[in-house]
Amino acid sequence: MTGPRNWLTTALRWVAGIAIAIPATLLLGASPAAAHPMPHSVVQLDVYEHTVSARLEIPVDEFTRASGIDVSEKTLSDRTGPIRAYLVAHIFPTATDGQTWQVTVGRPTLSRATQTDTGEYRELVARAVLTPPAGTDVRHFTFGYDVIVHQVVTHTVLVTVRQDWAAGQVGGEGATQVGTIRIDTRTMKVPALKVDLGAGSAWRGFVAMLKLGGDHILTGTDHLLFLLILLLPAPLAASGGRWNGLVGPRKALARIGRITLAFTAGHSVALAATALGHLDIPGRPVEAFIAASILVGAIHAVKPLFPGKEALVAGVFGLGHGMAFSFVLAEMQLTTGQLVTSLLGFNLGIELVQLLLVCLALPSLLVLARLRVQPVLRLTGAVLTGTAALGWLVDRLGLPNPVARAADSAGSHTTVLLIALAVTAVTATAWTLFTRRRAPADPALAV
């Protein structure tokens, strides 16, 4: 009986082994999502001349687990005090010489966020202001931070710089990775992160604002459309409430120059006054005013509303556009010296790109006025511009619509715009030279 018993025992062992191996294989081969990875925290630093602002984005479930504070929409207002106290206790930046920075935390809010590995989750958002002792270097410090990590050993914190004017990082375009905070599994401690932002300079801030100003006018479809729609009928003469005939190349150039200069003066004055005066102007009325100005310009391109006074209108409406430009500077919380430097760079960037666009559009504007299809092309441009303006106006008065979204998306195709303007400028210039060469032999082609 020994043989059969050994055989039976061996068979049972094989069955048991297979029963264990199959689930183990399935578990080991499971995708990472099956392990339910936790979302990480994010700390975004905005570096100013004397302080550092930190935007904290913290997963709610992990925060509750670490702090013991249950956070929900209903309980948030009642637990703001304990939340802020917990955050202050676990954020401890120090200077390179060991001096402790002051930390203050604003009122937290709740939102929803999504990360690739974890999907959607609830997020606690708060802003902390980190203030170093007087005379301490704000660009080099040790960032002690163990929110959640001191209790949840698998949690990680990504630290980035979102804005750093002195390093030329402005406009909220992307972020620079500083480092990652996580527990050291050998010591079971959370090491502080060494932050070295390098040597900043006013020149780098100026160049960054110069580029930001150029990008702003180039991607600001509404500002660009307003100027171009006013320039569209500039080479035309008005009589009897209609656009009829030409005013001549020199007069057309003078009109285009006056309109461009007046718009420049208007938005430059408003930009400087609003920014340097720290005027708190609500954004929605200003943006609606800009949309209305474009609509007026589109109507004027169809039927002359203020012939000969386009420069005056450009200057008045330019004031509103300048106020909108100032919103960009207001968000940066710059010191007076940085603000003056930024104002010069930002405005210069706007003017340089604006001058480039006008120069590219100029040959086409002059040639268009001489073509038989000019009325059709002018009316088509005016109708398209007016439709976009009306969509923006309705949207900025509180009614979002697809027309406004489509018009806004046009600002993302700046390369296509520049290529189109360059091609039309070259074509228009070539056509003008060709007609002038043929003019003596064929007087009918002369202007």
Side-chain angles (χ1 to χ4, degrees):
M1 297 297 292
T2 303
R5 286 182 179 177
N6 289 339
W7 176 86
L8 181 60
T9 301
T10 302
L12 290 174
R13 287 176 178 174
W14 273 100
V15 171
I18 292 172
I20 294 172
I22 290 176
T25 302
L26 292 175
L27 288 174
L28 291 174
S31 65
H36 301 291
M38 296 183 299
H40 55 258
S41 296
V42 176
V43 177
Q44 293 181 323
L45 303 178
D46 292 336
V47 183
Y48 305 117
E49 190 169 14
H50 302 297
T51 61
V52 175
S53 175
R55 175 184 165 89
L56 315 177
E57 300 174 355
I58 306 169
V60 168
D61 291 343
E62 283 68 33
F63 176 83
T64 298
R65 187 188 311 177
S67 66
I69 304 172
D70 185 22
V71 180
S72 66
E73 296 287 353
K74 294 181 179 179
T75 63
L76 180 62
S77 59
D78 295 333
R79 295 173 183 173
T80 294
I83 292 172
R84 294 168 68 178
Y86 169 82
L87 293 175
V88 169
H90 292 276
I91 303 173
F92 31 89
T94 56
T96 52
D97 59 1
Q99 295 187 71
T100 303
W101 288 28
Q102 180 183 355
V103 179
T104 57
V105 177
R107 180 175 294 275
T109 60
L110 286 176
S111 66
R112 303 203 72 85
T114 303
Q115 291 179 10
T116 304
D117 294 336
T118 62
E120 189 177 88
Y121 60 95
R122 291 186 306 154
E123 184 177 69
L124 181 70
V125 179
R127 183 171 293 277
V129 177
L130 319 177
T131 306
T136 304
D137 185 7
V138 75
R139 304 189 62 79
H140 302 83
F141 62 96
T142 301
F143 187 47
Y145 181 100
D146 65 356
V147 175
I148 298 180
V149 190
H150 71 106
Q151 288 291 338
V152 183
V153 297
T154 55
H155 194 72
T156 59
V157 183
L158 301 183
V159 182
T160 63
V161 172
R162 182 177 59 175
Q163 176 181 311
D164 185 357
W165 183 89
Q169 186 173 343
V170 297
E173 297 182 357
T176 301
Q177 186 78 23
V178 176
T180 303
I181 297 175
R182 57 166 58 93
I183 198 165
D184 186 340
T185 54
R186 295 172 299 177
T187 63
M188 296 307 292
K189 294 182 179 180
V190 183
L193 180 65
K194 299 290 185 181
V195 178
D196 183 356
L197 302 177
S201 67
W203 171 249
R204 295 178 71 178
F206 174 81
V207 173
M209 294 305 300
L210 179 74
K211 180 178 181 298
L212 184 62
D215 290 342
H216 196 70
I217 191 67
L218 193 59
T219 59
T221 316
D222 49 359
H223 303 296
L224 188 57
L225 272 183
F226 172 72
L227 181 59
L228 292 179
I229 200 63
L230 273 188
L231 295 179
L232 184 59
L236 304 178
S239 61
R242 297 176 55 191
W243 294 113
N244 187 15
L246 303 175
V247 296
R250 289 187 179 180
K251 191 171 183 179
L253 286 173
R255 279 187 180 179
I256 291 172
R258 287 196 300 269
I259 292 170
T260 305
L261 184 60
F263 181 63
T264 298
H267 70 65
S268 297
V269 168
L271 172 59
T274 308
L276 295 177
H278 299 284
L279 301 180
D280 187 12
I281 299 174
R284 178 166 288 187
V286 172
E287 297 294 342
F289 175 81
I290 290 173
S293 72
I294 302 169
L295 184 58
V296 170
I299 296 172
H300 178 67
V302 177
K303 181 181 176 62
L305 300 178
F306 37 83
K309 299 180 181 178
E310 289 86 356
L312 176 62
V313 172
V316 172
F317 282 136
L319 296 173
H321 289 253
M323 293 179 189
F325 291 147
S326 70
F327 296 153
V328 178
L329 299 180
E331 295 174 354
M332 295 184 182
Q333 303 177 27
L334 303 173
T335 61
T336 301
Q338 290 177 336
L339 184 58
V340 171
T341 303
S342 298
L343 185 61
L344 292 174
F346 188 69
N347 201 50
L348 181 59
I350 290 174
E351 306 316 329
L352 289 175
V353 174
Q354 181 176 284
L355 180 61
L356 170 65
L357 294 173
V358 170
C359 289
L360 289 176
L362 183 59
S364 302
L365 290 172
L366 296 178
V367 169
L368 173 64
R370 301 161 60 186
L371 299 178
R372 292 183 178 180
V373 295
Q374 173 269 130
V376 175
L377 296 177
R378 174 170 50 84
L379 291 176
T380 301
V383 169
L384 291 175
T385 301
T387 302
L390 190 58
W392 276 323
L393 182 59
V394 173
D395 177 72
R396 294 168 186 182
L397 291 177
L399 295 174
N401 58 86
V403 174
R405 289 193 294 271
D408 286 331
S409 67
S412 61
H413 303 290
T414 54
T415 303
V416 176
L417 171 65
L418 288 174
I419 292 175
L421 285 175
V423 170
T424 54
V426 171
T427 304
T429 302
W431 187 87
T432 302
L433 294 175
F434 176 74
T435 54
R436 284 184 177 178
R437 287 182 178 180
R438 292 188 58 188
D442 190 355
L445 295 175
V447 179

